[in-house]
């Protein structure tokens, strides 16, 4: 059986086709139309695999846009999906860190990849992908550049967790002539300490896997690893972990 | 989930409006009204003084913006809502109250009561925050001070006979409320948690206690009969949730609604308006002491230590066959927010029941984030139940 997992996030929409192994993947921007993005990602993955829609046995949706698609046979939260996806890629995973576009979470999982407990950020953009985007915007660089300019720089301390307050703080630092690279490193440090705080709410143990689009940035991965004092496993395509988990739920159903 | 409806459920849904009218009529007949905010109010004394005790409004977000003109925004929504209702004169029960009865439970409330006392006569009881002998002696003195206030205010005498009959009446009320909530021990529960909450909430505004007890008894009989026939909006696989933590009522019920919308069944409320309330006065030789004992042992998070809440929770998790515990805490409610960790550890070390803390307020702004958390919590429970 071929199962599809579609993860409609606030920023990106991801699709994975799975038939015992990953057959194809796709990533498209969510934009203003989550339903359209879900269909587009699904079609793109089908094209990449060279199979027809009818060949797919089950379609499982996840992500904040999961409510908006009639295509789905089943809907599962991103918490369950990230746990399943991360456990499939790294079976030693007992803790999943996920930073998405508008939220971040820490999930503790058992030996079978089942969720034991989890914690999520409160209603605010602190420590999320959106926080990074806003800060990159203030510094006038792209997200990729944010990582490269931070390389080797001594992080400056950014005390505001709130995206709005941190923005003013950074404007203040720029006015004082602080180097952009140091500010970028400070932004990563700030996200890492936010994740550390969140991790304190659940029992963190065993292998730690970092999923979500933000994990594409090596500087953040390093900051989080050193913050937690542990090695952090980063999948080759961390942004696809949720969609993979959804496909696994469909495949095993 | 298909709704279950009975004649008495329907009757109770319109109770709050009708009660405001009967309260006005009682006032016109010369009856005195005492408004209360909290379970610590010794209602027996009010009843023995011949006055009508009524719960005051504080569970709706509507008057919060008005309250925020005076109170700090970071205060808990319950305190802001209560104060806002008073300020805007939009709670009929506050409007008709001759006297407000309040207690020094949490810091936010006791300072808010200082402001509230400028609007209406208010009697503040100094509540000890520990449950030992010395505290009990002090609390008995506070009950005596309340008796004097009620006697002076309403020119009545609270005789031992009137006190004894008030204890009997309120114990009967507690018995009826316990029996009603115990119907939810049936698997599956015959009604939704939101229906139960609505009943408990609306009933709090009743003027005639005898009538209210009769109504609750009637509802319990109807629900027992439904349960016996196997009628339920749920099935035997629906995850059964116990809600603990801060007070909830109609208007501050978004978490209850979300749980049931997402496929759970709230079978028990371990909160002030619900199961914490059913503990009776155990009449001894000194009735006033028995009353004081009953109120002082309420397991509220303002008490330190508060072991009573943990043992009550453990008992309810077992009796109601609970699959998951949700600890609802309001933003700015320091006592419940901090105590949440003790609850989590107690459950982890004891029955191992899955646990989720939710910190929120009365607004709808975080509904989508809450939906993800609650849905994931229910998935986690279903995965456990499924093996």
């Amino acid at each position: 059986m071929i199962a599809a997992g579609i993860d409609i996030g606030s920023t990106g929409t991801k699709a994975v086709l799975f038939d015992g192994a990953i057959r194809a993947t796709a990533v498209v921007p969510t934009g203003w139309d989550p339903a359209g993005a879900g269909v587009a990602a699904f079609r793109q993955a089908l094209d990449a695999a060279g199979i027809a829609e009818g060949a797919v046995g089950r379609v499982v949706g996840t992500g904040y846009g999961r409510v908006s698609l009639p295509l789905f046979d089943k809907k599962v939260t991103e918490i369950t999906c990230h746990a399943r996806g991360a456990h499939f890629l790294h079976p030693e995973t007992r803790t999943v860190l996920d930073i998405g576009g508008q939220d971040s979470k820490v999930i503790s999982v058992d030996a079978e990849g089942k969720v034991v407990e989890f914690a999520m950020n409160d209603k605010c953009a602190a420590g999320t992908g959106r926080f990074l985007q806003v800060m990159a915007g203030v510094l006038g660089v792209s997200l990729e550049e944010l990582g490269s300019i931070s390389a080797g720089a001594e992080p400056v301390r950014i005390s505001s967790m709130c995206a709005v307050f941190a923005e003013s703080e950074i404007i203040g630092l720029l006015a004082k002539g602080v180097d952009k690279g140091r500010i970028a490193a400070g932004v990563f440090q700030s996200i890492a300490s936010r994740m550390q705080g969140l991790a304190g709410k659940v029992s963190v143990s065993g292998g730690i896997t970092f999923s979500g689009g933000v994990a594409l940035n090596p500087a953040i991965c390093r900051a989080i690893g050193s913050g937690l004092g542990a090695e952090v496993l980063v999948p080759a395509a961390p942004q696809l972990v949720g969609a993979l988990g959804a496909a696994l739920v469909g495949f095993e159903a | 989930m298909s709704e279950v409806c009975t004649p008495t459920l329907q009757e109770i849904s319109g109770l709050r409006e009708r009660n405001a009218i009967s309260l006005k009529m009682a006032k016109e007949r010369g009856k005195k009204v005492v408004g209360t905010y909290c379970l610590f109010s010794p209602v027996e004394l009010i009843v023995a003084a011949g006055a009508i005790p009524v719960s005051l409004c504080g569970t709706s977000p509507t008057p919060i913006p008005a309250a925020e003109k005076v109170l700090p925004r970071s205060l808990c929504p319950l305190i802001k809502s209560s104060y806002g209702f008073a300020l805007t004169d939009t709670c009929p029960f506050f409007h008709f109250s001759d006297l407000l009865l309040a207690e020094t439970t949490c810091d936010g409330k006791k300072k808010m009561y200082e402001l509230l006392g400028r609007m209406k006569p208010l009697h503040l009881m100094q509540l000890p925050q520990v449950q030992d002998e010395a505290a009990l002696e002090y609390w008995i003195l506070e009950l005596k001070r309340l008796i004097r206030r009620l006697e002076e205010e309403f020119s009545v005498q609270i005789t031992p006979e009137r006190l004894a009959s008030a204890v009997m009446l309120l114990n009967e009320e507690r018995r009826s409320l316990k029996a009603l909530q115990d119907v939810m021990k049936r698997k599956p529960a015959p009604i939704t948690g939101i229906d139960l909450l609505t009943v408990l909430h609306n009933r709090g505004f009743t003027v005639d206690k005898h009538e209210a007890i009769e109504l609750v008894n009637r509802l319990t009989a109807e629900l027992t009969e439904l349960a016996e026939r196997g009628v339920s909006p749920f099935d035997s696989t629906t995850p059964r949730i116990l809600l603990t933590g801060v007070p909830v009522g109609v208007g501050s019920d978004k978490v209850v609604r979300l749980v049931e919308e997402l496929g759970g069944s709230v079978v028990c409320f371990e909160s002030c308006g619900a199961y914490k309330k059913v503990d009776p006065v155990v009449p001894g030789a000194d009735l006033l002491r028995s009353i004081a004992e009953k109120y002082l042992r309420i397991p509220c998070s303002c008490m330190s230590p508060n072991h009573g809440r943990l043992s009550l929770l453990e008992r309810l998790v077992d009796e109601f066959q609970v699959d998951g515990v949700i600890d609802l805490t309001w933003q700015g409610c320091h006592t419940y927010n901090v105590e949440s960790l003790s609850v989590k550890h107690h459950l982890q070390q004891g029955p191992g029941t899955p646990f989720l803390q939710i910190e929120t307020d009365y607004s709808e702004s975080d509904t989508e984030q809450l939906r993800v958390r609650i849905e994931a919590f229910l998935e986690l429970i279903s995965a456990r139940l499924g093996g």
Side-chain angles (χ1 to χ4, degrees):
Chain A
M1 204 252 298
I2 303 173
I6 301 175
D7 177 4
I8 307 182
S10 63
T11 312
T13 293
K14 290 78 69 177
V16 168
L17 296 180
F18 185 90
D19 62 357
I22 297 171
R23 281 282 296 273
T25 66
V27 180
V28 305
T30 301
W32 51 270
D33 177 17
V39 173
F42 185 39
R43 294 262 159 78
Q44 206 174 306
L46 288 171
D47 287 348
I51 58 173
E53 191 177 329
V56 175
R58 258 176 109 77
V59 183
V60 175
T62 189
Y64 99 102
R66 70 190 178 284
V67 282
S68 53
L69 217 56
L71 176 74
F72 297 148
D73 296 304
K74 189 180 166 128
K75 288 171 275 189
V76 182
T77 63
E78 47 271 43
I79 292 169
T80 299
C81 290
H82 276 276
R84 295 293 288 278
H87 181 263
F88 177 81
L89 296 170
H90 299 289
E92 68 271 41
T93 300
R94 292 297 174 273
T95 305
V96 183
L97 307 178
D98 168 55
I99 304 184
Q102 66 177 14
D103 64 27
S104 50
K105 35 194 171 292
V106 178
I107 310 163
S108 108
V109 301
D110 66 13
E112 292 161 25
K114 279 188 188 167
V115 179
V116 179
E117 58 174 336
F118 60 89
M120 283 175 80
N121 64 319
D122 294 319
K123 51 176 181 182
C124 133
T128 68
R130 177 75 65 218
F131 181 87
L132 274 186
Q133 269 180 339
V134 171
M135 300 317 140
V138 182
L139 294 176
V141 297
S142 72
L143 277 176
E144 292 73 25
E145 287 165 341
L146 196 64
S148 54
I149 62 168
S150 78
E154 174 66 23
V156 64
R157 189 176 149 71
I158 294 165
S159 47
S160 308
M161 288 287 185
C162 166
V164 177
F165 290 146
E167 186 174 351
S168 342
E169 198 176 338
I170 289 176
I171 291 169
L173 289 170
L174 285 173
K176 275 195 242 163
V178 178
D179 174 59
K180 274 186 182 185
R182 291 190 58 204
I183 298 176
V187 166
F188 295 141
Q189 193 94 67
S190 149
I191 292 206
S193 58
R194 181 76 189 174
M195 285 308 276
Q196 235 177 298
L198 203 57
K201 294 189 177 174
V202 304
S203 39
V204 175
S205 62
I208 302 171
T209 299
F210 185 15
S211 68
V214 171
L216 285 167
N217 189 317
I220 270 263
C221 299
R222 280 193 301 273
I224 286 182
S226 69
L228 290 172
E231 196 200 337
V232 172
L233 303 162
V234 182
Q239 77 277 28
L240 292 173
V241 172
L244 171 64
L248 287 167
V249 169
F251 185 74
E252 288 157 23
Chain B
M1 187 175 73
S2 61
E3 290 293 316
V4 170
C5 198
T6 77
T8 312
L9 264 185
Q10 204 128 37
E11 193 179 333
I12 292 174
S13 67
L15 207 57
R16 196 171 170 274
E17 287 66 31
R18 284 205 311 282
N19 283 334
I21 298 164
S22 23
L23 192 63
K24 183 170 186 288
M25 283 159 58
K27 285 277 287 188
E28 284 163 3
R29 292 197 306 270
K31 276 282 200 183
K32 296 295 179 189
V33 176
V34 178
T36 65
Y37 282 105
C38 179
L39 186 55
F40 281 105
S41 291
V43 179
E44 281 81 356
L45 305 188
I46 301 170
V47 171
I52 300 172
V54 286
S55 305
L56 299 174
C57 315
T59 58
S60 159
T62 313
I64 288 182
E68 283 178 346
K69 288 182 186 164
V70 183
L71 299 174
R73 283 175 57 91
S74 59
L75 208 57
C76 104
L78 180 77
I79 301 177
K80 288 190 287 189
S81 176
S82 304
Y83 189 72
F85 266 115
L87 202 61
T88 54
D89 197 19
T90 44
C91 170
F93 306 96
F94 183 89
H95 181 85
F96 291 125
S97 290
D98 296 288
L99 178 69
L100 305 175
L101 181 55
E103 300 79 21
T104 54
T105 46
C106 68
D107 290 350
K109 269 192 169 176
K110 72 185 180 199
K111 299 311 280 185
M112 183 273 279
Y113 290 143
E114 290 177 10
L115 303 179
L116 206 59
R118 298 179 190 172
M119 291 184 220
K120 249 190 211 276
L122 181 143
H123 181 85
L124 185 72
M125 298 184 78
Q126 298 289 337
L127 175 76
Q129 315 224 309
V130 61
Q131 295 154 317
D132 63 12
E133 258 321 297
L136 180 65
E137 296 306 327
Y138 182 81
W139 184 231
I140 292 172
L141 292 177
E142 281 299 292
L143 259 65
K144 289 182 174 162
R145 200 164 63 83
L146 173 62
I147 291 179
R148 288 197 297 279
R149 175 76 186 257
L150 290 167
E151 289 183 333
E152 278 163 28
E153 198 85 30
F154 303 144
S155 310
V156 291
Q157 216 199 333
I158 298 180
T159 62
E161 295 73 33
R162 297 182 79 167
L163 199 56
S165 88
V167 167
M168 270 176 67
L169 177 65
L170 285 150
N171 270 351
E172 182 53 21
E173 178 181 66
R174 294 183 187 110
R175 190 211 49 76
S176 76
L177 289 172
K178 181 174 186 304
L180 171 68
Q181 292 171 71
D182 283 347
V183 176
M184 304 294 276
K185 288 180 181 171
R186 307 264 183 156
K187 196 172 178 176
I191 52 167
T192 60
I194 200 77
D195 277 344
L196 177 66
L197 186 69
T198 307
V199 169
L200 295 172
H201 180 86
N202 285 356
R203 196 216 52 89
F205 301 97
T206 42
V207 172
D208 185 333
K209 292 259 174 226
H210 296 279
E211 221 173 86
I213 293 167
E214 190 273 327
L215 197 66
V216 169
N217 287 345
R218 192 143 41 88
L219 180 62
T220 305
E222 284 173 5
L223 297 183
T224 308
E225 200 256 339
L226 284 182
E228 236 126 66
R229 284 197 282 127
V231 177
S232 168
F234 309 108
D235 62 51
S236 58
T237 62
T238 307
R240 295 166 64 85
I241 302 299
L242 178 148
L243 194 79
T244 180
V246 293
V248 276
V250 172
S252 61
D253 50 15
K254 68 174 173 188
V255 168
V256 184
R257 286 185 190 281
L258 279 172
V259 168
E260 300 201 317
E261 193 186 304
L262 295 169
S265 157
V266 180
V267 293
C268 183
F269 295 87
E270 186 274 312
S271 46
C272 321
Y275 226 87
K276 271 200 184 96
K277 194 185 165 77
V278 303
D279 180 30
V281 172
V282 182
D286 179 353
L287 203 49
L288 196 64
R289 176 173 284 267
S290 311
I291 296 173
E293 280 169 353
K294 178 255 165 333
Y295 284 97
L296 192 62
R297 67 173 175 255
I298 293 172
C300 171
S301 62
C302 71
M303 292 290 167
S304 180
N306 186 28
H307 302 308
R309 180 172 172 217
L310 303 179
S311 44
L312 175 62
L313 257 177
E314 200 172 336
R315 181 163 67 81
L316 296 178
V317 162
D318 176 49
E319 287 179 4
F320 284 79
Q321 305 178 63
V322 168
D323 300 314
V325 171
I326 294 183
D327 189 15
L328 177 62
T329 54
W330 298 136
Q331 277 159 13
C333 178
H334 304 325
T335 56
Y336 272 109
N337 270 327
V338 176
E339 197 170 275
S340 192
L341 195 65
S342 308
V343 173
K344 177 179 167 176
H345 287 161
H346 187 80
L347 290 172
Q348 268 173 351
Q349 283 150 20
T353 319
F355 174 84
L356 176 71
Q357 184 200 1
I358 288 178
E359 186 184 349
T360 183
D361 59 11
Y362 288 4
S363 76
E364 296 290 331
S365 62
D366 59 350
T367 305
E368 289 314 305
Q369 284 102 317
L370 290 183
R371 191 186 296 276
V372 173
R373 280 169 224 208
I374 295 169
E375 201 172 342
F377 186 59
L378 293 170
E379 283 171 0
L380 176 168
I381 293 170
S382 298
R384 273 169 65 104
L385 294 177

